[in-house]
Amino acid sequence: MVEDSLRTAGLEPRGRSWVEPDSACDLLFSGSPDRARIALEGLIERTDVIVQGEAGRRKRLLVADMDSTMITVECIDELADYAGVKAEVAEVTERAMRGELPFERALAERVALLKGLEEDVLGRCYDERVRMTPGAEALVRTMKREGAYCLLVSGGFGFFTDRVAQALGFHRAVSNVLPLRAGRVTGEVQEPIVGAEGKRRALHDAAAEHEMELADTLAVGDGANDIPMIEAAGLGVAYRAKPAVASAAAARIEHNDLGALLYAQGYSRSEWAA
């Protein structure tokens, strides 16, 4: 069925091999990657399709978003729950992630609603609400073991990114600062804000620092502020993302967890870091 679909799209199948039996399969073909993606996406129920060149599939730089990508929640929405304003904050978050609001404006609006929140709530929120996305630790630690540099970039706050980065094994985290005064959130934002351009720049800077081409990079995220880094990366992945992000990305993960990005690089499960 798969080979027939490729032929119908004017492509020539060149064989197949299993990365992981019954879980991940490489299909080789010659022809247009875009035509192959159109032919294959949605062909097999609950199957993700990543089309890429055979050479250079194991990436040397991972740049990953945090909220709703490496972790399962939006931290600012969960903080807002403790402040009793989750509905208001979550609405702004959703609009920003869909690209309907500029990220910087959305961040300022949400942080203003957190004014007066006690500092110790941040620790409670991390302990009680933050959960790592399945496959996240395996992705980071396997790539790190194989010599890749792993960078967590977030429009969220350093209190959370520093802890998530340490828990998952990232080399470093880049994020925003949540200003505090006398043990409470001030309701202000601290410049410069890490938004869409900050994430793209972090990808470029890390690639330059480690003397690698952008083709050697993997970026993954879910919101509109991730689009520039996803478009710039050698392999840009939308992970269970908003429609605008899914449309902009060359690869989309909708059904599997983040372990799919190890399969995409040719790592069988026996090669994953524990």
Side-chain angles (χ1 to χ4, degrees):
M1 176 176 67
V2 173
E3 284 84 354
D4 289 343
S5 294
L6 290 173
R7 291 189 183 95
T8 299
L11 308 168
E12 182 59 35
R14 299 291 187 184
R16 66 170 73 181
S17 61
W18 286 100
V19 177
E20 182 69 26
D22 300 321
S23 296
C25 186
D26 281 343
L27 300 172
L28 304 181
F29 67 91
S30 59
S32 164
D34 290 337
R35 288 165 69 183
R37 186 178 299 110
I38 293 170
L40 297 177
E41 282 188 335
L43 185 64
I44 302 175
E45 186 177 357
R46 299 193 59 80
T47 298
D48 294 309
V49 174
I50 294 179
V51 180
Q52 59 183 328
E54 188 176 6
R57 67 189 297 187
R58 294 198 171 182
K59 302 306 183 185
R60 298 173 52 209
L61 171 64
L62 169 66
V63 180
D65 172 51
M66 182 181 74
D67 295 284
S68 298
T69 303
M70 289 289 124
I71 63 175
T72 61
V73 297
E74 295 283 337
C75 288
I76 194 167
D77 293 358
E78 300 308 315
L79 282 177
D81 197 19
Y82 289 93
V85 290
K86 184 172 185 177
E88 297 96 311
V89 168
E91 180 184 5
V92 177
T93 299
E94 180 67 17
R95 293 181 64 197
M97 292 302 98
R98 290 198 304 257
E100 297 173 2
L101 290 175
F103 179 80
E104 292 77 6
R105 171 185 157 191
L107 183 65
E109 288 183 10
R110 290 175 291 170
V111 171
L113 290 170
L114 300 180
K115 183 177 180 179
L117 189 68
E118 295 181 352
E119 182 177 3
D120 63 4
V121 171
L122 276 68
R124 286 179 55 201
C125 183
Y126 181 84
D127 292 338
E128 296 173 0
R129 304 289 179 91
V130 174
R131 298 294 179 267
M132 309 303 159
T133 300
E137 186 171 6
L139 173 64
V140 176
R141 294 194 183 278
T142 301
M143 291 187 68
K144 186 176 180 181
R145 183 198 65 198
E146 296 299 314
Y149 189 81
C150 299
L151 178 64
L152 185 65
V153 293
S154 175
F157 307 121
F159 180 92
F160 296 99
T161 56
D162 291 348
R163 286 160 176 77
V164 170
Q166 182 176 15
L168 293 178
F170 282 92
H171 288 92
R172 189 165 66 92
V174 175
S175 59
N176 292 305
V177 175
L178 181 63
L180 301 166
R181 185 180 301 118
R184 292 182 180 272
V185 174
T186 67
E188 302 163 343
V189 294
Q190 181 170 313
E191 301 284 349
I193 293 174
V194 178
E197 174 57 22
K199 290 186 173 189
R200 185 201 64 81
R201 187 169 58 250
L203 170 70
H204 280 268
D205 289 349
E209 179 184 352
H210 296 278
E211 300 181 335
M212 63 184 72
E213 302 294 328
L214 289 178
D216 295 321
T217 67
L218 164 60
V220 58
D222 75 303
N225 63 333
D226 298 314
I227 290 176
M229 76 171 186
I230 286 173
E231 291 180 328
L235 178 60
V237 181
Y239 180 73
R240 302 186 183 184
K242 306 305 179 188
V245 190
S247 296
R252 293 169 280 279
I253 301 297
E254 296 290 344
H255 307 293
N256 293 277
D257 64 31
L258 289 170
L261 298 185
L262 289 173
Y263 290 145
Q265 295 178 78
Y267 293 104
S268 66
R269 188 172 286 272
S270 65
E271 297 177 278
W272 296 10

